[in-house]
Amino acid sequence: QAQLVESGGGLVQAGGSLRLSCEVSGRPQNNYVSGWFRQAPGNEREFVAAIRWLGNDTYYKASLKARFTVSRDNAKMYLQMNALEPEDTAVYFCAGRWGWGGFWVTNAIDFKDWGHGTKVTVSA
């Protein structure tokens, strides 16, 4: 099991940018897939983006692809968020799962490793 720790959240004005980081320990191998989820108050946790450690292929929630970018540098994963909107306000979690079944998984229940989350607040 890997351990994940997020950082980089904070308060930003609408239109601004933030970069979230996620430190992944526990020596994930090439079959690891890590991703970002977010949860706004009163809402379910929703998929944001994921990256496959073998080859660094990425996948996004369609409505966020133009503004968000997921990347990885060794054991650190990032989420670059641009043109932020008040609707992006949420707690952002990094998550991970072992194994690649040939398709992208976007349900939170299928990710076994989780960080504690970092809060992002976008003011109007």
Side-chain angles (χ1 to χ4, degrees):
Q1 186 174 1
Q3 293 76 46
L4 294 83
V5 179
E6 307 94 336
S7 61
L11 174 65
V12 63
Q13 288 188 332
S17 298
L18 272 179
R19 189 175 82 153
L20 306 182
S21 300
C22 175
E23 185 84 37
V24 183
S25 59
R27 297 188 176 184
Q29 304 300 316
N30 282 338
N31 65 345
Y32 200 68
V33 178
S34 56
W36 292 95
F37 287 77
R38 68 184 184 181
Q39 188 166 17
N43 289 359
E44 293 186 354
R45 194 166 296 189
E46 69 168 348
F47 172 80
V48 173
I51 186 165
R52 188 181 170 201
W53 284 44
L54 178 62
N56 285 329
D57 295 336
T58 58
Y59 186 73
Y60 296 89
K61 178 181 173 72
S63 60
L64 299 176
K65 188 174 182 178
R67 300 187 293 117
F68 288 16
T69 302
V70 61
S71 61
R72 184 179 70 88
D73 181 6
N74 291 320
K76 232 174 180 181
M77 180 178 66
Y78 301 97
L79 184 68
Q80 177 67 42
M81 305 185 292
N82 298 328
L84 283 162
E85 304 167 354
E87 293 74 21
D88 295 316
T89 294
V91 177
Y92 284 70
F93 298 89
C94 62
R97 65 187 305 271
W98 298 87
W100 170 255
F103 56 91
W104 292 99
V105 172
T106 61
N107 290 324
I109 196 171
D110 294 315
F111 284 75
K112 302 307 179 186
D113 303 326
W114 288 89
H116 293 294
T118 185
K119 188 172 183 179
V120 172
T121 303
V122 184
S123 62

